Amino acid sequence: MIAIDTKAYILRFFVDIVLFYGLFFMLNKQGTKRNRILFIVIIFPLTFFVGLYSSFSDFILVICGYLFLKRKHEKDYRLLSNLIVCMLVLYMVDIISSTIMVSVISNDHVVGFFEIFIQIGIKISLISLFYFFYQKMHMYQVIQKFSSESSVFLLLYLFLVTLLITYAAHYYTAYDHFVIGIIIFLIIQTVFVFFLFLRILNKQKERYEAQMERQELDNLKMYTKELEEKQQQTIKFRHDYKNLLLSFKEIVSSGRNFKMVEQIEELEHYSDKYLSKDKFDYKAFYNIHDSFIKSILIAKFHRARELNIQCHLECATPVDGVPIPTFDCVRILGILLDNAMEAAVESTDKIIDLMIYQDDSQIEFLIKNTYKNSDISMDKLQNRGLTTKEGHSGLGLNTIHEYNQKYPNIFVQYQRKNLLFSTQVILIK
């Protein structure tokens, strides 16, 4: 059996906690600066001292990290997923590094500081490799998009199984003999959890698509009702307009000019009631043939009208489809229009203009909105977690930036000029 020097063991345990904090804060930016500092100052020493006498100190890191960094009265599955993933990564790194060390150290050797520093170097290299692939493969998008109660439950199951297996191996002082078996068992468990995750993911996708279809039907019903009401108003207005014209004829024939002026003013007020320039022109939606995109635009423009924002949509050419997955395009438009509404509602003029253009090579979405003057630069607005609104996560423009990196045929450009914010999204076919 391989023995380890007590001081070297304490050093390794201390570094493991540091590596957890370092990995977690690289992957996750949630929580206020104050809460993140408190999480380190209070939980770090607590975890360290508890860990010297117990193998379950990792629970403290996960649970306290969640309680310290989540927003009050809200469930944050993404934060909890990140905490568990970081802990699982450290477990795997510890097992792999231990396997390497066991293969080169004899059984009667006492592990000292030299071997511990080598193992720490291996761990840092493995964590750096994981972080590289985490960024390269955009794994943060997967966690952000699919974090849910079910996925957290599966990650928690894998976390508990790993914790219990390693605890049992240490308890029976057989860790170095069964490390290969532990790796094989954890691989089997990981494959099992991954299979369940895919099953849950498919069901979530089906529910999401069904929800989108229901939302689409609701929006199109609202759209149809609006058109029917406008049609009824037009028919009534046409009937009353003819009666007013007949009264004009009578006034002109009788020579009562002063009465005619009054009638003209009455007609003007009457016309303004039914021909208001602030009413949204739904004919602009006729050229949008993709039902999901049409649905999200109708929903957002109705929401903007409820906020007393003047909206204008121009779509002169038919839009049949988009060269990226439809739901991703829907999400991009939803985020941009939500941002536009948040900015426009605080401005003086409260205006949103959307232009959609398609030709044989590309589709262009151009959103312009008024906004209240801000000193934040465009680069800072795209940073993860930055927001100008209290209580918001600030992931809007950052999420668009992530989609821009995910799809090479997306080009996004922002511009601010004269209190008018413009967002241009070009999708190359």
Side-chain angles (χ1 to χ4, degrees), residues 356-396:
I356 306 175
Y357 172 77
Q358 173 175 301
D359 57 24
D360 295 334
S361 61
Q362 67 181 30
I363 299 175
E364 178 185 354
F365 298 92
L366 180 60
I367 301 175
K368 295 183 179 181
N369 64 270
T370 54
Y371 70 95
K372 186 172 67 174
N373 192 21
S374 174
D375 295 331
I376 300 178
S377 66
M378 290 304 309
D379 292 336
K380 288 186 177 180
L381 280 174
Q382 298 180 64
N383 290 340
R384 177 184 294 267
L386 182 64
T387 175
T388 58
K389 294 183 72 62
E390 185 176 355
H392 286 241
S393 62
L395 294 176

Side-chain angles (χ1 to χ4, degrees), residues 263-274:
Q263 287 288 83
I264 290 175
E265 291 177 351
E266 182 182 347
L267 178 60
E268 184 179 7
H269 293 311
Y270 186 76
S271 300
D272 288 339
K273 180 180 178 181
Y274 290 95

Side-chain angles (χ1 to χ4, degrees), residues 1 203 317:
M1 185 181 69
K203 290 183 178 180
T317 56

Side-chain angles (χ1 to χ4, degrees), residues 136-231:
K136 190 75 174 177
M137 299 174 66
H138 305 291
M139 291 174 63
Y140 50 85
Q141 292 182 354
V142 177
I143 294 177
Q144 178 177 325
K145 187 174 183 180
F146 298 113
S147 292
S148 63
E149 186 175 354
S150 302
S151 62
V152 167
F153 176 79
L154 292 177
L155 288 172
L156 190 60
Y157 165 78
L158 191 59
F159 169 60
L160 292 175
V161 168
T162 307
L163 184 63
L164 290 174
I165 292 297
T166 53
Y167 172 76
H170 284 296
Y171 182 81
Y172 292 105
T173 63
Y175 187 83
D176 51 331
H177 294 291
F178 295 103
V179 66
I180 301 298
I182 292 173
I183 291 177
I184 295 174
F185 178 79
L186 291 179
I187 290 174
I188 295 173
Q189 290 295 310
T190 303
V191 171
F192 171 70
V193 169
F194 184 71
F195 173 75
L196 289 180
F197 176 74
L198 290 179
R199 290 287 301 271
I200 294 173
L201 186 61
N202 287 331
K203 290 183 178 180
Q204 284 182 343
K205 184 178 180 181
E206 291 174 0
R207 287 197 298 267
Y208 177 69
E209 290 179 353
Q211 182 182 358
M212 286 290 295
E213 289 175 357
R214 288 195 299 270
Q215 184 66 41
E216 176 195 2
L217 290 175
D218 291 341
N219 290 336
L220 291 179
K221 285 179 182 178
M222 183 168 54
Y223 170 48
T224 304
K225 181 180 178 182
E226 184 88 15
L227 290 179
E228 290 175 351
E229 290 177 354
K230 292 186 71 174
Q231 182 69 17

